[in-house]
Structures are given as structure tokens and as C-alpha cells.
Amino acid sequence: MRVVPLDDEQGHVALGLALRHLANTGIFMHTTAHPDDENNGLLVMFDRGLGYRTALATATRGNGGQNEIGPEIFEALGVLRTGELAALHRFDGAEQYFTRAVDFGYSFSIDETFEKWGREEITADYVRLIRTIRPDVIITLPPTGNAGGQHHMASAVITRDAYKLAGDATKFPEQIKDGLRPWQPKKLYHLAAFGFPGEPPPTGRVTRVNSGVYDSLLGKTYNEIGFEARSMHKCQGMGQLLALPAPSAVSSYQLDETTLPGQMQKDETSLFDGVESTMASLASFAGPRPPRDLTEGLKVIATAALTAQKIFDTATDEAALKPILDGLYAVRVLRRELRSMSIDDAGRYEIDFRLRQKEGEFQHAALLANGVRVEALADDGVVVPGQAVKVNVIVANRGPAEVGIKQVRFEGFDADAPAAAGEAAACTMTAFAGGGFAFPGGGRGRGNSSAPAAPPMASVKRDQVAHCEPTLKLPANARVTEPYWQRKGEAGRYTFDADAPFGLPMRPTPFYVQVTLTMPGGEEVISGLPVEHRYEGNIFSGEKRTELLVVPALSVRVSPQIAIVPASAIRSAPATAPPASRPKGGALQDTTTFVQPPSGAPAQPPSGRGRSSGRPAPAPSRPSPPREPSPRAESKSDAPTADREIRVTVVNDTSGKIESSVRLEVPEGWTSTPPQQTLTFAREDESLTVRFQVKPAPGTAPGEFHVRAIASAGAQTFDRGYEVIEYPHIRRYHIYDAADTTLKVIDVRTPSSLLIGYIMGVGDQVPPAIEQLGAHVQMITPDDLAWGDLSRFDAIVTGVRAYERRDDLRANNSRLLEYVFNGGAAIVQYNKFEFNDAQYGPYPAKVSADRVTDERSPVEILAPRDRLMTTPNEINDATWQNWVQERGLYFLGERDSRYHDVIRLEENFTFNKGPKTGALVEASYGKGRWVYVGLGLWRQLPAGTDGAYQLLANLISLGKGAR
């Protein structure tokens, strides 16, 4: 790894970065539409280089995009991208905020964006964030044009609206009632141009900002560090090659609005031209004649900060401690004296708002100057309400000054525990000589035994380490750790939990430790930090950490989440079905009786769900592929069955044995066999899976139905479970789903005994959808592509962007074409421009950037008699109803005349107006068929779109009987 987050820097570099903030009171805010819109080098420069408090306010969480590293889409993708922003801020130091806007997919219409987001509501969100952060300078994206989609322009227009309204107390008065105060930023800029080909050059005055400035403390330019930060956008396929040395990295901005007289007519060299951000500038909030005590107090603080910086530059880190402590003392004195100064309430608030920030920064710098490190580590990271955890609090001193340990205070734990009330005696510090859980010399379990008692330590001298390991208890009503935002259906705006701090990436953990230390001279420094659990990720990710993640005692998940029942199966079902062997249609038509696994024998949980150990599960190196069914076998009947198997996986997260009963709630007239099952868990983290056969009621009409799984233990019931979202570059997150299977009874037919080969790309959920249609799916391996018998497959489907991810597919593509030539059917789902690196289709063709974003756009069938449109399902207007987010993207563009379009789409948005072809293209090659699918089946199938299943059935049926 060639990237190291600046948050991980220790010693001299960390102190140098901290000192840059002490004398700077300026606040900088950057607004964007999506994760990855931000100027990473600029954020690094303003925060790490110049010491401004820096905030990024992203309108959406990017949940409508694509995922190039795994299967997460929709809301799970929003959580992943939220985690990636958190990862990149470890480089640039910026704070992260969000509005309630949903990324509903690429949009060519600013009016559509305003309508779905709610222009007034998202303007209110940005006003709230401006009033919360109180920035001096804001930058945003271009408010006009069409570079990258209209979400960008909409977020810029809304930012400008919010800039004008935030200082008016009569606007959004409910925010004032909530305790916020009006705030008018001094300047608003927009990005002059994205830099896309064909963009017109900006007109008028432009402020050019160079983030390619070399920082001798960091040994790199800000732009180079920005590239490192940007590489964390991995699910967006962001480039991983780092920036090479360049003479400059200039971004251009245009001043939109300012409160500074005459500033619009000036040629600027900096975004903060005309904006004072020195410590002395805080006196301006007190009016034209600020009190002498105020100006003198600010002068003392500024002098201390500048002295500490000078000593840091010319002497030792330790020598900077005294002026840092002097500055900390001066900040605290001035904050106390502000209360009695003759300053109006508004001015007093603004001054104290910034001094409070400075107090925290001086404390952080003091710890760094004396080499003090504080840790708070729990012996478990995935915990349940009422659970006891051991917390190891460590204070290490590497500096020359002796540091007293006055108090250790815990927050968020059971209020009945003395430590939670702030009693230091509950956490008596003793000498730490190694050992303990998860430390060198100790085990990796839940604690280490038999360490000899050590004498108490009231202070730590140079190279001494003290610690305490109290056992604390989570409250019985501890809140489950999950996102605080919810989306109802296809709504364009989230609902936020009212009690969550507005706009933060995640709800802050309640489990916190405050260690009060006494520094030389008696000044106290408080080190507050969340309780974390550290664990080993996979061998490539090394040590990982997580805050305590509260989960239910039992986590319940169902599989599949979408089940398809052919309407014809219900019409043809006998009144009493005889016992049958497994039909050829696939695993979910299994009618074998349930056999409960023996107690203590864990069943395999669904991919990526639950956990397998007492610590958070390591991040997968790549998505787990769907289960492979057995090869086709003869069956007694190929007739489709209406029965569907529902698998319920229950994970025990309690610390010991527990017994649970599991049942399904089914629609009236439907049956579940067996009615109920009992699970006996022998240990923590055990996962057991039970299977139910669900039969629709006779005569059930096409429609959508829901089956809910419920697990009971004692007086408690559990009906939802969590999915783990974790990769080597992000922390672990949990997202919850109801234990609910959606059963779609639809008119869809699929030939019997289909065997489909699947070449997984970046990760998608298409294989389970194919199995829902009654076909068998086998994942095609590199060996299969190189020398295996491909002729056994009725059709081969390449996963989303398979030509990007699978070098074995690119290398052996001729084998796939040979399979088609000999009578096979190849279904190629959309790829990006890597498909254009060679001729991977049977004839020359290039992928384009064409897409249709209106999910309701009209579809014209150009080849109504083509098998794709008729066999075994008739494709008609109903097929295209109730699609979500979009029709498709990355359509096939320039191509040989031997390719034929099956459909043509039309979009009415101004920036994408006109007919679009390339969404569904086929070519005959030898005896077989090659089909390119730009339609977003990968998005529609998990959403349960009826017509997508009909199209999929026709696609995988192309090879049946053709050879």
C-alpha cells in the first residue's frame, strides 16, 4: 500500500498539522451532489495545509449509482459510499454532512431533480447546514450546463438559494426554534468548469486556486494527497494510480455572491481574499468598538499559537507544549469572561462558537506535543442490549512531562454502573506491561487471565503506560446501530430520525470515554474518544476497528428476498400434490421435507449476512458468488410448481445458549410447511437455517404477496436482520432489512431443464433471479473459460461489467464466441468503455455513453416477431411498466450492420432528447445468437419488476433447441 491516511500520522507530522489550526478561525464549506464530486486536493489544502475548519456537504449518498466492487445497490450502496467518504476524510480532515436528497439515478432534467428532491425541502436542509457549520466561504458546482447530469446543477442552484436565505431569521423559522441562529456567509463561488471535453470556457473573472503546492511537512503536494483520498471511491471505479509530480493543479472558480463591498470587481488570488480569519478578527463580532478585554484575550491566544508554531519550526516538539498550554488556558479564560462582557448575545455566540472549536484543537495539540496516546478498546465489537463488555482504557506517555490521570468517565453504558456516573474509582489506572485482550502477549479472545495485580498509578511519566479494564454493561434498551435515514418506496427524499444530529454520516455512537489528564502547570486536557473494538480483517486489510455495533439478540433474514411464482403453475396445480423429487427447475422448487440440522451444527447464512466470529467479520476480497446447484438430473416431472422454498437464517448474537421458534406469516389461504420450527443455539454467533415450503392459495391471481419470518425467544420476537457492508478500505456497517420475502405471481414461462452458465463481473444479483425462473445456474470459472465444455450450457450470461473485471474472460473471449458459433446463446450485460479495447463481440462494435434515465420512457419494439419478443413470453406494453430509476445505460453505439436493434427507446428530457438504440441488440453468429443488454435488468430484477423477469426468461431461452 502506497497510501497512508494523514489521520494515522503520529509525532512530529501530526503535531505540525494540529498547530496550523490554532490561529485560524476561518470556516470553509464545499457543497456537491454526490460522493466523488468534491475537489479532494482543495479540501486537503484548506484543512491540512492552511488550517481552516473544512466541511463537505454532499446532497445525496450516491445510492442510485453503480457498484464496481460488490453486489450492493440501492440503499446498501448509499451506506457503502458513505463509508468511502469517511475513509477519504482520513486524508483531507474535512467534516462530512448530507441532506435528505436521494440519488434517484442519472438525470437529464433539473426540473425532475427539483420535483423528486423537493426544492424547498433540500434548500431548507442546506440552510440548516449553513446555520450549523457557519462557513465564511462556500464553493459549489456549476449551476448551468449538463456536465455529469442535472443533480450537479440542482445542488448548485439550491446552494445559492440557501446562501441567500440562511441569514434571514424569518426563513425556515422552525430551525430558529430548534436553537439554530441565522448566519450569512461572506462569499459563494461555483466551479467554473468540470473540465469535460466540449465544455465552453468560463467567461468573466475567474479565481484560480492551485492545490499542486508542495508541503514540506507532508513531503507531497496537496493535489497528490487528494489523489490518495480520491482513490477511496473504489465502488465507483476511481483510478488507483496516484498522481505523479506536476508543476501545478489549478481549479477555477467564479464568485457568485458576496457581502464584501466591491469584491465582485476585484481580481482575486485566493477564495478567502477579503475574508479575515485571524484570531483578532473575532473581535469584529462585538461591533465597531469591541471590549478591551476581548481584544487582549484574543491577542494572548494568537501569540501563544504563533509561539508554538515558531518553536515547532526551530526547536523540538516537546518545547512547543508550554505555549500550547498557555493558549489553552487563555481560551478557557476568555470563554468564561465572555459571559460578562458588554457584547450583544449574537456577537457573544459567534465568538464562543469559534473559541469552543479552538479549545478542542489546543487540547489535541497538547497531547501530541507531549506524546500522549489514549486508547479505549472493548473486547467485542458486535454487541446486544444488556451485554457486558470489558473496556481497556490505556494512557501512554512518550514525552518528558509527567501527566496526571485525574478521571476516567464512561458514557452510554448502564446508568446503574458506578463508572457510568463518572466515578473514577471504577476505573483505577495501573501499570500496563503488555497482555490483555487483543494486545501483544495476550490472546485474541474475550480477555486474558491471571495478570498479577499492579499498584495504582495517578500519573504517567515518560515511557510509562497505564490502563484499566472495567467490565461495563450496555443498557437493556440500547438502540440498534443502523442508518438514521429511511426511504419509502421510490421517494426522492429521505426521512431522518428526529433525534439524530442532522446530516451526519451516521448517528454518533453513545459509547464514549472521557479521560481527564493534568498537564504541567495544572492545566487539564480532556481526551474524549469512542469505545472501539479492534480485530483482524483479511490478511490484506490488517488491523481494523469499529465502534460498538449494537444488534438484536437474534438476527433474522430470509432467502430469497424476491420469489417468482409462474401464474400457470397455480392454474395447473393439483388439489393435493403428491410427494415429488426436486424438479429440474432449480433449488427453489424443492419439495423435499425439511430436516433440521443437529444442535450446534451451523448452517450457511446468506452471503454477506450475519457474522461468523465474536469480532466483526473480515471484509470480503470480492463478493461471494451465489450458491451453485447440482448439475441437471432426471426428474419425474418437468411441470412447474407453485411451491416456493423460503429459507430463514437466524443468527444468535447473545453470549450463550438460547432456544427460538421460527414461523412464517403467509397471506390468507396460503400454507406454510411446516407451520413452525424450533432452533436450539448452543453458543454465541451460531447461525442456523430452516426451510419452509410455501404454497399459494388455489386460484391466486397475479400480483405481489409478502411472507414474513418471525423468530421468538421468551417474550421477545424478532423479524429483521442485518447485512454487513465492509471492505478493506472502509469500516464495518450494518444495514437492516425486514425478514420479508416478496412473492410475485406473474405470467412468465421458462422452458424446463435449462442450464445457464454465468460469468460474474463486478457483482450483481442476476443469478438468483435466473434460478427463480426455474433454471439451474452454474458459475463459470477461469478453467471453464480456458478449456471446459461450454456446450453443456443452454445459454451463457456475462455479469455486469464482466469485461472490466474478468481478465480470464478477455483472454478467452474467442472460446465464448466459438460457443455461440456452434449454436449457443451469449447474453452480454452492459459494460463500460473497457469493452472497446478489443473486438469482444462477433463483429465490430463500441459501447457508448448513451442511456435513458426516465424509467417511464416509451419503448418501441422494432422486431416484433423476433424470438426475444415472443418466446416463451410475449413482450408487450405491460412489460415496460413499473420499472425503477432508469431504462438502462451504456448502450451499444457504433457497430457493424450485422447487429440488429430489437427495441428503440425515446427520452424527452432536453439534454437527452430523441430516440435511442443500442439498449437491446442481437446478432446471429454461426448457428447461435449473441445479445447485448444495455437495459438495466441487474437493477430491475432485485426490485421485482415483472417485465424484467419476462425479458430474462426470453433471453435465457434463446439457446434452447437451437443447437
Side-chain angles (χ1 to χ4, degrees), residues 150-297:
Q150 291 296 304
H151 290 183
H152 299 138
M153 291 73 211
S155 69
V157 171
I158 288 174
T159 297
R160 185 172 184 173
D161 292 344
Y163 172 92
K164 296 177 178 179
L165 299 175
D168 186 347
T170 66
K171 305 299 182 183
F172 308 110
E174 69 280 2
Q175 298 179 8
I176 307 301
K177 292 179 182 178
D178 289 343
L180 292 177
R181 295 173 180 245
W183 175 251
Q184 179 58 62
K186 298 178 178 64
K187 299 170 83 174
L188 171 69
Y189 293 86
H190 73 257
L191 180 65
F194 279 106
F196 293 136
E199 273 189 284
T203 58
R205 282 187 170 84
V206 172
T207 303
R208 292 178 171 83
V209 184
N210 179 23
S211 61
V213 177
Y214 180 76
D215 188 316
S216 60
L217 178 68
L218 300 175
K220 301 174 184 177
T221 69
Y222 303 124
N223 184 60
E224 289 167 352
I225 299 171
F227 262 77
E228 296 178 5
R230 197 165 184 77
S231 72
M232 296 297 105
H233 286 304
K234 297 184 189 299
C235 77
Q236 302 196 56
M238 199 61 62
Q240 299 300 296
L241 295 180
L242 305 181
L244 294 173
S248 64
V250 176
S251 300
S252 298
Y253 292 88
Q254 291 187 297
L255 185 60
D256 260 346
E257 302 281 347
T258 182
T259 61
L260 304 177
Q263 196 67 30
M264 296 290 290
Q265 288 73 45
K266 295 181 180 179
D267 292 326
E268 297 185 318
T269 59
S270 164
L271 300 181
F272 274 81
D273 276 5
V275 179
E276 288 290 332
S277 60
T278 63
M279 191 66 64
S281 69
L282 295 185
S284 64
F285 291 113
R289 301 184 65 182
R292 180 187 177 95
D293 288 347
L294 173 62
T295 58
E296 289 298 319

Side-chain angles (χ1 to χ4, degrees), residues 71 606-607 623-629 647 758-761 763-771 777-780:
S607 172
S624 300
R627 174 183 55 84
E628 290 195 9
R647 297 185 293 275
Y758 202 88
I759 305 173
M760 182 61 75
D764 57 62
Q765 295 299 315
V766 176
I770 296 175
E771 288 188 325
V777 177
Q778 288 187 2
M779 307 307 289
I780 294 181

Side-chain angles (χ1 to χ4, degrees), residues 644-664:
R644 283 296 177 265
E645 179 182 273
I646 305 297
R647 297 185 293 275
V648 182
T649 297
V650 183
V651 179
N652 173 33
D653 281 302
T654 66
S655 58
K657 297 180 179 180
I658 189 172
E659 186 171 285
S660 171
S661 63
V662 181
R663 61 184 174 88
L664 298 184

Side-chain angles (χ1 to χ4, degrees), residues 47 76 449 452 503 569 692 815 837 849:
D47 189 284
S449 61
F692 295 86
R815 292 252 303 143
D837 293 342

